[in-house]
Short mmCIF file of all heavy atoms in Angstrom, two decimals:
data_model
loop_
_atom_site.label_atom_id
_atom_site.label_comp_id
_atom_site.label_asym_id
_atom_site.label_seq_id
_atom_site.Cartn_x
_atom_site.Cartn_y
_atom_site.Cartn_z
N LYS A 162 -13.61 5.88 21.02
CA LYS A 162 -14.63 6.93 21.08
C LYS A 162 -14.54 7.69 22.40
O LYS A 162 -14.55 8.93 22.43
CB LYS A 162 -16.02 6.31 20.93
CG LYS A 162 -17.16 7.28 21.19
CD LYS A 162 -18.50 6.58 21.15
CE LYS A 162 -18.70 5.65 22.33
NZ LYS A 162 -20.06 5.06 22.34
N GLN A 163 -14.43 6.96 23.49
CA GLN A 163 -14.42 7.61 24.79
C GLN A 163 -13.13 8.41 25.01
O GLN A 163 -13.15 9.48 25.62
CB GLN A 163 -14.64 6.57 25.89
CG GLN A 163 -16.05 5.98 25.82
CD GLN A 163 -16.34 4.91 26.85
OE1 GLN A 163 -15.42 4.42 27.51
NE2 GLN A 163 -17.60 4.54 26.99
N ALA A 164 -12.02 7.92 24.48
CA ALA A 164 -10.77 8.68 24.57
C ALA A 164 -10.84 9.95 23.73
O ALA A 164 -10.29 10.99 24.11
CB ALA A 164 -9.59 7.81 24.12
N LEU A 165 -11.53 9.88 22.59
CA LEU A 165 -11.72 11.06 21.75
C LEU A 165 -12.62 12.08 22.44
O LEU A 165 -12.38 13.29 22.38
CB LEU A 165 -12.31 10.63 20.41
CG LEU A 165 -12.33 11.65 19.27
CD1 LEU A 165 -10.91 12.01 18.85
CD2 LEU A 165 -13.10 11.09 18.07
N MET A 166 -13.65 11.60 23.12
CA MET A 166 -14.57 12.50 23.79
C MET A 166 -13.92 13.23 24.96
O MET A 166 -14.25 14.39 25.24
CB MET A 166 -15.81 11.72 24.27
CG MET A 166 -16.69 11.24 23.12
SD MET A 166 -18.09 10.23 23.66
CE MET A 166 -19.20 11.50 24.25
N THR A 167 -13.00 12.58 25.65
CA THR A 167 -12.33 13.22 26.78
C THR A 167 -11.10 14.01 26.35
O THR A 167 -10.45 14.64 27.18
CB THR A 167 -11.89 12.17 27.82
OG1 THR A 167 -11.00 11.25 27.20
CG2 THR A 167 -13.09 11.44 28.39
N ASP A 168 -10.76 13.95 25.07
CA ASP A 168 -9.58 14.61 24.52
C ASP A 168 -8.28 13.93 24.94
O ASP A 168 -7.20 14.47 24.76
CB ASP A 168 -9.53 16.10 24.93
CG ASP A 168 -8.77 16.95 23.93
OD1 ASP A 168 -8.87 16.67 22.73
OD2 ASP A 168 -8.07 17.89 24.35
N ASP A 169 -8.36 12.72 25.51
CA ASP A 169 -7.15 11.95 25.77
C ASP A 169 -6.49 11.57 24.44
O ASP A 169 -5.27 11.47 24.35
CB ASP A 169 -7.46 10.70 26.59
CG ASP A 169 -7.81 11.05 28.03
OD1 ASP A 169 -7.33 12.09 28.52
OD2 ASP A 169 -8.58 10.30 28.66
N ILE A 170 -7.32 11.29 23.44
CA ILE A 170 -6.85 11.23 22.05
C ILE A 170 -7.44 12.45 21.36
O ILE A 170 -8.66 12.62 21.32
CB ILE A 170 -7.30 9.93 21.35
CG1 ILE A 170 -6.57 8.73 21.96
CG2 ILE A 170 -7.04 10.01 19.86
CD1 ILE A 170 -6.98 7.40 21.38
N GLN A 171 -6.57 13.30 20.87
CA GLN A 171 -7.05 14.56 20.33
C GLN A 171 -7.58 14.40 18.90
O GLN A 171 -7.19 13.49 18.18
CB GLN A 171 -5.92 15.59 20.39
CG GLN A 171 -5.57 15.95 21.84
CD GLN A 171 -4.37 16.86 21.94
OE1 GLN A 171 -3.24 16.46 21.74
NE2 GLN A 171 -4.62 18.12 22.28
N GLY A 172 -8.46 15.31 18.53
CA GLY A 172 -9.17 15.18 17.27
C GLY A 172 -8.46 15.74 16.06
O GLY A 172 -9.08 15.98 15.02
N PHE A 173 -7.16 15.96 16.16
CA PHE A 173 -6.41 16.46 15.01
C PHE A 173 -6.43 15.44 13.87
O PHE A 173 -6.46 14.23 14.09
CB PHE A 173 -4.95 16.73 15.38
CG PHE A 173 -4.77 17.66 16.55
CD1 PHE A 173 -4.00 17.28 17.64
CD2 PHE A 173 -5.36 18.91 16.56
CE1 PHE A 173 -3.82 18.14 18.72
CE2 PHE A 173 -5.20 19.77 17.63
CZ PHE A 173 -4.43 19.38 18.72
N CYS A 174 -6.34 15.94 12.65
CA CYS A 174 -6.18 15.05 11.50
C CYS A 174 -4.72 14.70 11.25
O CYS A 174 -4.41 13.64 10.71
CB CYS A 174 -6.75 15.71 10.24
SG CYS A 174 -8.55 15.78 10.19
N TRP A 175 -3.81 15.60 11.64
CA TRP A 175 -2.43 15.49 11.19
C TRP A 175 -1.55 14.49 11.93
O TRP A 175 -0.39 14.31 11.53
CB TRP A 175 -1.76 16.86 11.16
CG TRP A 175 -2.05 17.80 12.30
CD1 TRP A 175 -2.80 18.96 12.23
CD2 TRP A 175 -1.57 17.73 13.65
NE1 TRP A 175 -2.81 19.58 13.46
CE2 TRP A 175 -2.07 18.86 14.35
CE3 TRP A 175 -0.77 16.82 14.35
CZ2 TRP A 175 -1.80 19.10 15.70
CZ3 TRP A 175 -0.51 17.04 15.70
CH2 TRP A 175 -1.01 18.18 16.35
N ASN A 176 -2.00 13.87 12.96
CA ASN A 176 -1.17 12.85 13.63
C ASN A 176 -1.74 11.45 13.43
O ASN A 176 -1.53 10.57 14.25
CB ASN A 176 -1.03 13.15 15.12
CG ASN A 176 -2.37 13.13 15.85
OD1 ASN A 176 -3.42 13.31 15.24
ND2 ASN A 176 -2.34 12.92 17.15
N LYS A 177 -2.44 11.26 12.31
CA LYS A 177 -3.16 10.01 12.09
C LYS A 177 -2.92 9.48 10.67
O LYS A 177 -2.52 10.22 9.78
CB LYS A 177 -4.66 10.21 12.33
CG LYS A 177 -5.00 10.59 13.77
CD LYS A 177 -6.47 10.90 13.93
CE LYS A 177 -6.82 11.16 15.39
NZ LYS A 177 -6.12 12.33 15.95
N LEU A 178 -3.20 8.20 10.51
CA LEU A 178 -3.20 7.58 9.18
C LEU A 178 -4.56 6.94 8.98
O LEU A 178 -5.02 6.14 9.81
CB LEU A 178 -2.09 6.53 9.06
CG LEU A 178 -1.93 5.87 7.68
CD1 LEU A 178 -1.56 6.91 6.63
CD2 LEU A 178 -0.88 4.76 7.73
N TYR A 179 -5.21 7.30 7.88
CA TYR A 179 -6.58 6.87 7.60
C TYR A 179 -6.63 5.94 6.39
O TYR A 179 -5.75 5.97 5.53
CB TYR A 179 -7.46 8.10 7.26
CG TYR A 179 -7.57 9.15 8.33
CD1 TYR A 179 -6.64 10.17 8.41
CD2 TYR A 179 -8.63 9.13 9.23
CE1 TYR A 179 -6.76 11.17 9.38
CE2 TYR A 179 -8.76 10.12 10.19
CZ TYR A 179 -7.83 11.14 10.27
OH TYR A 179 -7.93 12.11 11.23
N ARG A 180 -7.70 5.17 6.32
CA ARG A 180 -8.02 4.43 5.09
C ARG A 180 -8.97 5.30 4.27
O ARG A 180 -10.02 5.73 4.75
CB ARG A 180 -8.65 3.08 5.42
CG ARG A 180 -7.66 2.12 6.10
CD ARG A 180 -8.20 0.72 6.17
NE ARG A 180 -7.27 -0.18 6.87
CZ ARG A 180 -6.28 -0.84 6.28
NH1 ARG A 180 -6.10 -0.70 4.96
NH2 ARG A 180 -5.48 -1.62 6.98
N LYS A 181 -8.60 5.54 3.03
CA LYS A 181 -9.38 6.45 2.18
C LYS A 181 -10.82 6.00 2.03
O LYS A 181 -11.74 6.83 2.05
CB LYS A 181 -8.72 6.59 0.81
CG LYS A 181 -9.42 7.60 -0.10
CD LYS A 181 -8.65 7.88 -1.37
CE LYS A 181 -8.63 6.70 -2.31
NZ LYS A 181 -8.03 7.05 -3.63
N ARG A 182 -11.05 4.70 1.92
CA ARG A 182 -12.42 4.21 1.71
C ARG A 182 -13.33 4.57 2.88
O ARG A 182 -14.55 4.75 2.69
CB ARG A 182 -12.41 2.70 1.49
CG ARG A 182 -11.86 1.89 2.64
CD ARG A 182 -11.94 0.39 2.40
NE ARG A 182 -11.28 -0.37 3.44
CZ ARG A 182 -11.82 -0.63 4.63
NH1 ARG A 182 -13.04 -0.20 4.89
NH2 ARG A 182 -11.16 -1.35 5.52
N LEU A 183 -12.77 4.68 4.09
CA LEU A 183 -13.57 5.08 5.24
C LEU A 183 -13.79 6.60 5.26
O LEU A 183 -14.90 7.07 5.52
CB LEU A 183 -12.90 4.63 6.54
CG LEU A 183 -12.74 3.11 6.69
CD1 LEU A 183 -12.06 2.77 8.01
CD2 LEU A 183 -14.09 2.40 6.61
N LEU A 184 -12.74 7.35 4.98
CA LEU A 184 -12.88 8.81 4.93
C LEU A 184 -13.94 9.23 3.92
O LEU A 184 -14.73 10.14 4.17
CB LEU A 184 -11.54 9.45 4.55
CG LEU A 184 -10.51 9.71 5.65
CD1 LEU A 184 -9.26 10.32 5.05
CD2 LEU A 184 -11.08 10.60 6.73
N GLN A 185 -13.95 8.56 2.78
CA GLN A 185 -14.87 8.96 1.72
C GLN A 185 -16.33 8.79 2.11
O GLN A 185 -17.21 9.41 1.52
CB GLN A 185 -14.57 8.17 0.45
CG GLN A 185 -13.27 8.57 -0.22
CD GLN A 185 -12.90 7.69 -1.39
OE1 GLN A 185 -13.12 6.48 -1.37
NE2 GLN A 185 -12.36 8.29 -2.44
N GLN A 186 -16.60 7.95 3.10
CA GLN A 186 -17.98 7.73 3.53
C GLN A 186 -18.52 8.85 4.42
O GLN A 186 -19.74 9.01 4.55
CB GLN A 186 -18.08 6.40 4.28
CG GLN A 186 -17.78 5.19 3.42
CD GLN A 186 -17.93 3.89 4.18
OE1 GLN A 186 -18.96 3.63 4.83
NE2 GLN A 186 -16.90 3.04 4.12
N VAL A 187 -17.63 9.61 5.07
CA VAL A 187 -18.09 10.60 6.03
C VAL A 187 -17.59 12.01 5.73
O VAL A 187 -18.11 12.98 6.29
CB VAL A 187 -17.66 10.23 7.47
CG1 VAL A 187 -18.27 8.90 7.88
CG2 VAL A 187 -16.14 10.20 7.61
N MET A 188 -16.61 12.15 4.87
CA MET A 188 -15.98 13.45 4.66
C MET A 188 -16.81 14.34 3.77
O MET A 188 -17.22 13.95 2.68
CB MET A 188 -14.59 13.26 4.06
CG MET A 188 -13.66 14.44 4.26
SD MET A 188 -11.95 14.01 3.82
CE MET A 188 -11.09 15.40 4.56
N ILE A 189 -17.11 15.53 4.27
CA ILE A 189 -17.86 16.52 3.51
C ILE A 189 -17.08 17.84 3.57
O ILE A 189 -16.34 18.08 4.52
CB ILE A 189 -19.28 16.73 4.06
CG1 ILE A 189 -19.23 17.17 5.53
CG2 ILE A 189 -20.12 15.47 3.91
CD1 ILE A 189 -20.57 17.55 6.10
N PRO A 190 -17.22 18.69 2.56
CA PRO A 190 -16.54 19.99 2.62
C PRO A 190 -17.18 20.88 3.67
O PRO A 190 -18.33 21.28 3.55
CB PRO A 190 -16.73 20.55 1.20
CG PRO A 190 -17.89 19.81 0.64
CD PRO A 190 -17.93 18.48 1.30
N ASP A 191 -16.46 21.15 4.74
CA ASP A 191 -16.96 21.91 5.88
C ASP A 191 -16.26 23.26 5.87
O ASP A 191 -15.05 23.34 6.08
CB ASP A 191 -16.65 21.14 7.17
CG ASP A 191 -17.27 21.78 8.40
OD1 ASP A 191 -17.66 22.96 8.33
OD2 ASP A 191 -17.36 21.10 9.44
N GLU A 192 -17.00 24.34 5.63
CA GLU A 192 -16.36 25.66 5.53
C GLU A 192 -16.26 26.34 6.88
O GLU A 192 -15.77 27.48 6.95
CB GLU A 192 -17.10 26.52 4.50
CG GLU A 192 -16.99 25.94 3.09
CD GLU A 192 -17.22 26.95 1.98
OE1 GLU A 192 -17.02 28.15 2.23
OE2 GLU A 192 -17.60 26.53 0.88
N ASN A 193 -16.72 25.71 7.95
CA ASN A 193 -16.45 26.23 9.29
C ASN A 193 -15.20 25.53 9.79
O ASN A 193 -15.19 24.33 10.02
CB ASN A 193 -17.63 25.97 10.23
CG ASN A 193 -17.43 26.64 11.58
OD1 ASN A 193 -16.46 26.36 12.29
ND2 ASN A 193 -18.33 27.54 11.95
N ASN A 194 -14.13 26.28 9.96
CA ASN A 194 -12.82 25.68 10.22
C ASN A 194 -12.43 25.69 11.68
O ASN A 194 -11.24 25.61 12.00
CB ASN A 194 -11.76 26.39 9.38
CG ASN A 194 -11.90 26.05 7.91
OD1 ASN A 194 -11.62 24.94 7.49
ND2 ASN A 194 -12.36 27.00 7.12
N PHE A 195 -13.41 25.77 12.58
CA PHE A 195 -13.12 25.69 14.00
C PHE A 195 -13.54 24.32 14.51
O PHE A 195 -14.72 23.99 14.51
CB PHE A 195 -13.85 26.80 14.77
CG PHE A 195 -13.29 27.01 16.15
CD1 PHE A 195 -12.00 27.48 16.33
CD2 PHE A 195 -14.05 26.74 17.27
CE1 PHE A 195 -11.48 27.68 17.59
CE2 PHE A 195 -13.54 26.93 18.54
CZ PHE A 195 -12.25 27.40 18.70
N PHE A 196 -12.57 23.49 14.91
CA PHE A 196 -12.80 22.12 15.36
C PHE A 196 -13.31 21.23 14.23
O PHE A 196 -13.91 20.18 14.49
CB PHE A 196 -13.80 22.10 16.54
CG PHE A 196 -13.17 22.29 17.88
CD1 PHE A 196 -12.37 23.39 18.15
CD2 PHE A 196 -13.37 21.38 18.90
CE1 PHE A 196 -11.79 23.58 19.38
CE2 PHE A 196 -12.79 21.56 20.15
CZ PHE A 196 -11.99 22.66 20.39
N GLU A 197 -13.08 21.62 12.99
CA GLU A 197 -13.59 20.82 11.88
C GLU A 197 -12.92 19.45 11.83
O GLU A 197 -13.54 18.46 11.42
CB GLU A 197 -13.40 21.57 10.55
CG GLU A 197 -12.03 21.44 9.88
CD GLU A 197 -10.90 22.10 10.64
OE1 GLU A 197 -11.17 22.99 11.47
OE2 GLU A 197 -9.73 21.75 10.39
N ASP A 198 -11.65 19.37 12.26
CA ASP A 198 -10.97 18.07 12.25
C ASP A 198 -11.55 17.14 13.31
O ASP A 198 -11.69 15.93 13.10
CB ASP A 198 -9.47 18.24 12.44
CG ASP A 198 -9.09 19.20 13.56
OD1 ASP A 198 -10.00 19.74 14.23
OD2 ASP A 198 -7.88 19.42 13.78
N THR A 199 -11.93 17.71 14.46
CA THR A 199 -12.54 16.90 15.51
C THR A 199 -13.90 16.36 15.06
O THR A 199 -14.25 15.21 15.32
CB THR A 199 -12.71 17.73 16.80
OG1 THR A 199 -11.42 18.16 17.24
CG2 THR A 199 -13.37 16.91 17.90
N ARG A 200 -14.67 17.19 14.35
CA ARG A 200 -15.97 16.73 13.84
C ARG A 200 -15.78 15.58 12.85
O ARG A 200 -16.55 14.62 12.84
CB ARG A 200 -16.73 17.89 13.18
CG ARG A 200 -17.19 18.95 14.16
CD ARG A 200 -18.21 19.88 13.54
NE ARG A 200 -17.66 20.74 12.51
CZ ARG A 200 -16.99 21.86 12.72
NH1 ARG A 200 -16.75 22.25 13.97
NH2 ARG A 200 -16.55 22.61 11.73
N LEU A 201 -14.76 15.69 12.00
CA LEU A 201 -14.50 14.62 11.05
C LEU A 201 -14.16 13.32 11.78
O LEU A 201 -14.70 12.25 11.44
CB LEU A 201 -13.34 15.01 10.13
CG LEU A 201 -12.82 13.91 9.21
CD1 LEU A 201 -13.91 13.41 8.27
CD2 LEU A 201 -11.60 14.39 8.42
N ASN A 202 -13.31 13.39 12.78
CA ASN A 202 -12.92 12.18 13.50
C ASN A 202 -14.07 11.59 14.29
O ASN A 202 -14.18 10.37 14.43
CB ASN A 202 -11.72 12.48 14.40
CG ASN A 202 -10.42 12.52 13.61
OD1 ASN A 202 -10.01 11.54 13.01
ND2 ASN A 202 -9.77 13.67 13.60
N ALA A 203 -14.96 12.45 14.81
CA ALA A 203 -16.14 11.94 15.49
C ALA A 203 -17.07 11.23 14.52
O ALA A 203 -17.63 10.16 14.83
CB ALA A 203 -16.87 13.09 16.19
N ALA A 204 -17.25 11.78 13.34
CA ALA A 204 -18.12 11.16 12.33
C ALA A 204 -17.57 9.81 11.88
O ALA A 204 -18.33 8.92 11.49
CB ALA A 204 -18.27 12.09 11.14
N LEU A 205 -16.27 9.65 11.96
CA LEU A 205 -15.63 8.42 11.49
C LEU A 205 -15.78 7.27 12.49
O LEU A 205 -15.67 6.10 12.09
CB LEU A 205 -14.14 8.70 11.24
CG LEU A 205 -13.34 7.72 10.41
CD1 LEU A 205 -13.91 7.62 8.99
CD2 LEU A 205 -11.87 8.15 10.37
N VAL A 206 -16.02 7.58 13.75
CA VAL A 206 -16.02 6.56 14.81
C VAL A 206 -16.88 5.34 14.49
O VAL A 206 -16.43 4.19 14.66
CB VAL A 206 -16.44 7.18 16.16
CG1 VAL A 206 -16.78 6.09 17.19
CG2 VAL A 206 -15.32 8.07 16.70
N PRO A 207 -18.14 5.48 14.04
CA PRO A 207 -18.97 4.28 13.81
C PRO A 207 -18.40 3.32 12.76
O PRO A 207 -18.83 2.16 12.71
CB PRO A 207 -20.31 4.88 13.35
CG PRO A 207 -20.32 6.26 13.92
CD PRO A 207 -18.91 6.72 13.85
N LEU A 208 -17.47 3.76 11.94
CA LEU A 208 -16.90 2.91 10.89
C LEU A 208 -15.63 2.20 11.34
O LEU A 208 -15.09 1.38 10.60
CB LEU A 208 -16.57 3.76 9.65
CG LEU A 208 -17.74 4.54 9.04
CD1 LEU A 208 -17.26 5.33 7.83
CD2 LEU A 208 -18.88 3.61 8.65
#
Side-chain angles (χ1 to χ4, degrees):
K162 171 185 70 175
Q163 293 178 348
L165 192 65
M166 291 176 78
T167 60
D168 207 36
D169 288 332
I170 292 178
Q171 293 174 287
F173 305 127
C174 287
W175 40 250
N176 62 337
K177 297 175 175 63
L178 184 63
Y179 300 87
R180 292 191 182 272
K181 184 171 70 173
R182 61 177 173 80
L183 298 180
L184 276 179
Q185 289 174 322
Q186 295 182 51
V187 299
M188 201 168 194
I189 59 173
D191 187 343
E192 295 202 24
N193 186 300
N194 289 290
F195 196 65
F196 274 55
E197 84 292 340
D198 46 1
T199 300
R200 291 194 292 279
L201 172 61
N202 281 298
L205 197 61
V206 166
L208 303 180

